[in-house]
Amino acid sequence: MKDLTGKLGKLIFPDVEEKKSRRIVVQVIIGLSIALLSMAGMLFYSHQEVRQQQKFQQIKGEEVILPEIPPDMAGEKETEPVKEKTPEGENRNGMEDLGETDKNTVTFHYDWDSLTEANGDIKGWLYLPDTPVDLPVVGASDNDYYLTHDFWKQKKNTGCPFMDKDTGQWDFNRTIYAHNMSRTSEAMFSPLLKFKDGDYFMAHRKLYYTQCYGGTTEYQIMAVVKYNAGDTGSWDFRTRNHADMESYNLWMEGLEEHALYYAEPDHAPAEILTLSTCDRSEFGKYGRLVIVAGKCQK
């Protein structure tokens, strides 16, 4: 090996001392080897992501087709300018409508029998139009298991989207966690990083969650929050319920205050779905990117 690198050094760097040229060649070989191994790893990982997504599509059942929205129902809220780090706002009202039955739902059909057979921990299915986030949501007795296990309970660093362990079906605010694999990845909640762009946020304000063996609910995304999980004293995005109107108003005001982007919802939401993933760009290991969506009603 020493003779080979020496010959290569003389051939590539004829005017450089043999010992130094041999060292340069060795460094180049090591660098190329690391680069090739990294590329091979990225290709393999990308292939694994694609295969997992294909498995999800195969097991979920019927394809989701969104209904067309009549022009007179489209409303003007979607085109309102986004507020960035909005100061204090007015108190919300309309709490008397929070008990109304939501009639503006879209029913998506999933093969729940196959899904529950594959994993009895399944809670529902999350779908964000125009993104790869078309994924099952599971739940366990702790918030660690599905950080390292996929939907089929195999050890995998991608994990699987999961509902917070303390969440009840009828809680006002239900939180779903999943990994951010990288800014170039399409796996799990990585695509949520696109919501850090204000224009993207305003153009993608709908998401759908379907309860296992239940109906589909449409949500309107109302806020994007860069959150410091190491500082929950002033406001906590995971607050599940409110004892009274004052508590509700304070939490909603805190949401607007902490938001990177905020758009006033069409009405005071009776239910919220929150998506959370890691984002170390601002708060290091405590950094989270949080997407908050309110339940739509007619």
Side-chain angles (χ1 to χ4, degrees):
M1 184 65 180
K2 187 176 181 180
D3 292 339
L4 178 61
T5 55
K7 291 177 181 179
L8 284 172
K10 285 183 179 180
L11 180 64
I12 301 172
F13 309 104
D15 298 327
V16 179
E17 179 188 350
E18 180 180 348
K19 186 175 181 181
K20 186 175 181 180
S21 65
R22 186 166 60 242
R23 185 169 65 249
I24 293 172
V25 169
V26 170
Q27 290 174 344
V28 169
I29 291 173
I30 292 174
L32 287 172
S33 299
I34 292 173
L36 288 171
L37 286 172
S38 297
M39 289 177 63
M42 289 175 64
L43 288 171
F44 175 76
Y45 182 70
S46 178
H47 177 67
Q48 290 292 96
E49 286 185 13
V50 171
R51 284 191 61 190
Q52 179 165 264
Q53 194 65 31
Q54 289 173 341
K55 288 175 72 176
F56 285 146
Q57 298 309 307
Q58 289 169 359
I59 197 172
K60 78 174 187 178
E62 186 176 325
E63 189 68 22
V64 170
I65 301 175
L66 295 178
E68 293 186 6
I69 302 176
D72 61 337
M73 292 179 62
E76 298 180 356
K77 285 287 185 178
E78 296 296 306
T79 59
E80 284 187 356
V82 59
K83 300 178 184 178
E84 185 166 353
K85 291 194 177 297
T86 309
E88 293 182 8
E90 298 179 357
N91 282 357
R92 275 69 181 167
N93 51 36
M95 284 291 284
E96 65 274 9
D97 296 327
L98 296 187
E100 290 185 0
T101 302
D102 177 18
K103 300 176 182 178
N104 188 26
T105 59
V106 183
T107 300
F108 298 158
H109 299 286
Y110 296 101
D111 187 353
W112 295 117
D113 289 342
S114 296
L115 288 164
T116 54
E117 183 178 348
N119 188 339
D121 291 338
I122 189 164
K123 299 291 185 182
W125 197 282
L126 177 67
Y127 174 55
L128 276 69
D130 302 322
T131 78
V133 180
D134 188 10
L135 303 165
V137 177
V138 293
S141 58
D142 65 75
N143 284 342
D144 294 326
Y145 183 81
Y146 282 106
L147 290 174
T148 56
H149 292 78
D150 66 12
F151 178 75
W152 292 270
K153 298 189 176 183
Q154 301 298 310
K155 283 282 268 185
K156 190 165 290 186
N157 62 353
T158 55
C160 183
F162 62 93
M163 194 80 72
D164 187 280
K165 68 180 181 66
D166 295 322
T167 303
Q169 182 176 347
W170 308 113
D171 282 346
F172 163 75
N173 180 12
R174 295 186 293 171
T175 302
I176 300 173
Y177 304 100
H179 283 304
N180 161 27
M181 304 309 298
S182 75
R183 65 181 181 85
T184 59
S185 174
E186 296 281 272
M188 298 299 111
F189 277 2
S190 303
L192 296 188
L193 296 184
K194 295 178 182 178
F195 282 91
K196 292 199 289 185
D197 177 83
D199 292 336
Y200 185 91
F201 160 62
M202 290 304 296
H204 298 82
R205 292 190 58 207
K206 296 296 183 185
L207 66 82
Y208 299 85
Y209 182 75
T210 305
Q211 195 73 27
C212 183
Y213 288 109
T216 300
T217 302
E218 178 184 338
Y219 291 85
Q220 181 184 45
I221 297 175
M222 52 195 285
V224 179
V225 180
K226 284 186 175 181
Y227 189 78
N228 182 356
D231 179 18
T232 60
S234 58
W235 180 80
D236 191 346
F237 75 86
R238 296 161 296 189
T239 300
R240 299 195 309 278
N241 292 295
H242 301 285
D244 50 36
M245 185 70 175
E246 181 181 4
S247 173
Y248 174 90
N249 285 333
L250 286 173
W251 190 88
M252 293 294 287
E253 289 171 6
L255 169 64
E256 185 171 351
E257 179 183 343
H258 285 78
L260 172 66
Y261 300 115
Y262 180 87
E264 195 72 29
D266 294 340
H267 58 82
E271 179 184 305
I272 282 175
L273 193 69
T274 300
L275 312 181
S276 173
T277 192
C278 292
D279 178 17
R280 302 191 176 196
S281 61
E282 187 163 334
F283 300 111
K285 67 178 182 178
Y286 296 110
R288 303 290 185 269
L289 185 69
V290 177
I291 309 298
V292 180
K295 183 178 179 180
C296 294
Q297 293 181 353
K298 278 190 176 181

